[in-house]
Amino acid sequence: MNPFNPIHFLPFQVEAIQAIGIQLYRRKVPRYLFCLLCFNLIPALAVQAATGDVFSRSQAYALGILGLVTVALSGYLFVVMFQPERF
Amino acid sequence: MSTQTKRRGDRKHTPKTKMIGLYKRAIQDAFHKLDPRIAVRNPVMFLVWVGTIVTALVTLDPNLFGTVTADPNQQRLLNGLITLILFFTVVFANFAEAVAEGRGKAQADSLRATRSDTMARKVLPDGSTQSVPSTALRRGEQVKVIAGEIIPVDGEVVSGIASVDESAITGESAPVLKQPGTDIASSVTGGTRVMSDELLIRITADPGQGFIDRMIALVEGAERSKTPNEIALTVLLTVLTQVFLIVVATLSPLANYVNTPTTIAILISLLVALIPTTIGGLLSAIGIAGMDRVAQFNVIATSGRAVEACGDVNTLVLDKTGTITLGNRLADEFIPVNGHSLDRLATIALASSLFDETPEGRSIVQLAEKLGAKLDFQPETTEGVEFSARTRMSGTNLAHGQQIRKGAVDAIKGFVRSRGGSLTPELDATYERVSKLGGTPLAVCQDSEIYGVIYLKDIVKPGIKERFDQLRCMGVRTIMLTGDNRITASVIAQEAGVDDFIAEATPEDKIDVIRQEQSQGKLVAMTGDGTNDAPALAQANVGLAMNSGTQAAKEAANMVDLDSDPTKLIDLVTIGKQLLITRGALTTFSIANDIAKYFAIIPTIFSAAGIGALNIMGLKSPQSAILSALIYNALIIPALIPLALKGVEFRPLTADQLLRRNILFFGLGGVIAPFIAIKLIDVILPFA
């Protein structure tokens, strides 16, 4: 029996996975972070493609995240501008 | 409307809060506020907070966002120092806010100490009492409180007369007499102590919703929301931040193009130096400190909006008695008319004031007794007639049906006419003479015969004219409301220096005046304490209720004066203006700072592009320049905390003069000060 094969999962393991899934659904911040890290694969590829050998893969990935964070901050500032009473 | 008659003298407000541990708690709070859920509320400082995290990452790995050409260890040291400075910039801003909040919390703690979960004697339907915790009491129930016990919750006196110590709330040590049937004296506050006798009280607030509970919530800032000016300034600061973010984010390709590649840490340093961190860090502290200054004046504001509105007020509607003149008018002279003797007038005046317990009434009795007047009837056989706003007179009904009255001349004339009496020109002449002296004439009659006039002397408060002159200079108009006749009102108005007055005013006139002023786009402030003042207090932009007033007045107003001193409205206008001036001054200073920081950092980033001439401060090296600018940026926040909390010194100036003063001191000062400070820090720093 292979314990890593989903077919052979024990009920408590299934419940644990379900619990993680529910927590992931309930907690917004980890979910957004996970989505951001996944989405960053696209800009990271673009960065690396545009700069050739200047940046390593990890540097391109980090730059992609920095770019996304900057865009997110800019979006946040727009929200503050248009809905200042929320802050 | 009535006012409290206790002597106030020159008593200054004294904070009743404990400041011990204030700074210790503020330091702890400054770190708690690093929680991103709290940090996100301040957009300017949140950007610095995110920048700190990014620079921390490049400290751990300088090559994280690209391979650096410099020595990695040296780069790590520079990045580490930048991280540290940025971190403290955020902490200092949090500290400023925490100190301002801490003062409010300290006052809340002081108030909380007065709110105790005492046992109360609840009165059951059969008249017996049952001991229950005060938290179990509900609105509408009745409790009995005897001497030495604490009143469990807010309420109205149903029966009994007792003196109550309200010092826990007001700081006033003299006990206040509480009794049923009157607007003012029947209202009691939970947490105060009955000093003598006993009271039967009907509860008017459920547990947790009493006056002290609301005050605690307010001073703690639980209900604090941004004021309109704060919102407008936040938008301005956010727009500036957004512009600089876009500029800095797109600067890297330009720098690469001119062969001066920059690191992420330097770009973040530039961004932090350019965004208005000084005012961004101090903005909420200034607002909270404004509320705190009001609280230090023993006034509780329901919101920062109310304090701010004080600064924008265009019109002050003020009662004459207690605000412009000293509360107690005293009988100065008896003037007989219609051929009656002074002795006879004194006797009638004495009889008319037999049941009048007001200071005016007592002064009439004193003057009559001084003139040797004696009653020619048994007081036990008589009945008192209380003053009412409708009849505008009071007096005594004698045993044989005779009626003695004193009151406004018009009212007495009507009374005499209704009983078939005749009026003489002598009365009108006397009335005019007293009025022209600025006094209040009270006519005295028995049935259809008028005996004379009592001259009640009004004394304008010392220094009030100068205060009104200052207000006028600031563009604030003052309107005096009085129940007195037009001649008396005009004399007092002239003496006090008010801009306008309304004579023979009824409580309804207040709301009319306020509406009229507001229809012209003006902001109006007023004071009040009676139930009939409640609509006007609610209508006014700033309504200051007296703590001695009714629950209705206190609930309608957006400020409550714990000392019940109506003159404080003028001080509140000053505090509101000071708040707005402080905010404007620090905003000017913060934005003016950018010039020096720009000249410190930009030449270092583009040094290879041949703009070294812009390094007008002659800073030693790029590293030193960046660190100097950031250190200045961080240190200026705690340096300005005292100014933010205390407020810029207030001077009664016009808007133009204020603008000129602001630009000269804080604009020019904001340009020059950082040049000097950054150069000094650069000299001290060991970076070559």
Side-chain angles (χ1 to χ4, degrees), chain A residues 32-54:
Chain A
Y32 288 155
L33 278 176
F34 179 71
C35 291
L36 178 84
L37 293 174
C38 293
F39 178 73
N40 187 44
L41 290 169
I42 300 166
L45 277 176
V47 169
Q48 206 165 16
T51 55
D53 293 336
V54 178

Side-chain angles (χ1 to χ4, degrees), chain A residues 59 62 74 76-78 87, chain B residues 40 43 63 65 226 231 238 242:
Chain A
Q59 283 172 339
S74 185
Y76 154 74
L77 291 175
F78 272 117
F87 297 86
Chain B
V40 80
N63 296 320
F65 298 112
K226 278 193 171 154
I231 288 175
T238 310
Q242 180 75 283

Side-chain angles (χ1 to χ4, degrees), chain B residues 106-115 168-169 212 215-216 219 300:
Chain B
Q107 201 189 25
D109 288 346
S110 169
L111 284 169
R112 202 173 276 120
T114 66
R115 189 184 60 174
I169 302 170
I212 291 186
M215 274 165 58
I216 290 169
V219 294
I300 299 293

Side-chain angles (χ1 to χ4, degrees), chain A residues 54-55 58-60 62-63 66 69-70 73-78 80-81 84-87, chain B residues 40-43 46-47 50 54 63-67 226 231 235 238-239 241-242 245 264:
Chain A
V54 178
F55 296 113
S58 59
Q59 283 172 339
L63 271 174
L66 187 64
V69 167
T70 309
L73 279 176
S74 185
Y76 154 74
L77 291 175
F78 272 117
V80 177
M81 274 187 248
E85 63 284 345
R86 281 180 62 185
F87 297 86
Chain B
V40 80
R41 289 184 207 151
N42 185 337
F46 184 63
L47 232 66
V50 174
V54 177
N63 296 320
L64 182 64
F65 298 112
T67 311
K226 278 193 171 154
I231 288 175
V235 171
T238 310
V239 169
T241 308
Q242 180 75 283
L245 178 67
I264 295 294

Side-chain angles (χ1 to χ4, degrees), chain B residues 53-73:
Chain B
I53 291 170
V54 177
T55 54
L57 291 174
V58 290
T59 305
L60 296 172
D61 179 7
N63 296 320
L64 182 64
F65 298 112
T67 311
V68 289
T69 50
D71 175 16
N73 284 334

